[in-house]
Amino acid sequence: MGLTRRTARFGELAGQVDRLCQARGLQVSQAAVDAALNVRVSLVADRMRIGAGAALAYAPDDLAAVLTAELAARAAATAAGQVVDLDSRRPQPPPLR
């Protein structure tokens, strides 16, 4: 089960993404924003071996801008008929031991 906008920090970040998408003229549903944010938080939680709620506390202030840029890239590629693998664009962390 993912985090929701009822969680203060999650709601703040999701709201920022909503506003940034709107400013860029992107039409992204709240459900899509929430899903993308949950994926990002889950990745951090898995890497740190902590819960999603705890990982959310480590979210950088620019996460909303980064996520908006990724959503914009995905929207542009989709409009052009391309497939975008956002995971391939991220630097891979060293393996956990």
Side-chain angles (χ1 to χ4, degrees):
M1 179 174 181
L3 297 167
T4 67
R5 291 178 186 242
R6 286 181 270 162
T7 304
R9 180 70 172 142
F10 189 92
E12 176 188 334
L13 290 167
Q16 288 175 2
V17 174
D18 289 339
R19 288 186 294 280
L20 290 169
C21 284
Q22 186 177 27
R24 285 184 171 211
L26 295 173
Q27 294 184 1
V28 181
S29 70
Q30 284 189 349
V33 169
D34 292 358
L37 188 52
N38 266 301
V39 166
R40 181 58 73 100
V41 171
S42 293
L43 287 172
V44 172
D46 289 347
R47 289 178 183 157
M48 295 180 73
R49 296 182 182 171
I50 59 177
L56 190 58
Y58 293 101
D61 291 335
D62 68 342
L63 177 57
V66 170
L67 195 55
T68 301
E70 289 180 357
L71 291 169
R74 181 176 287 176
T78 301
Q82 300 171 348
V83 175
V84 176
D85 180 8
L86 296 177
D87 287 327
S88 68
R89 296 173 35 175
R90 290 191 192 109
Q92 296 300 312
L96 297 174
R97 294 178 190 197

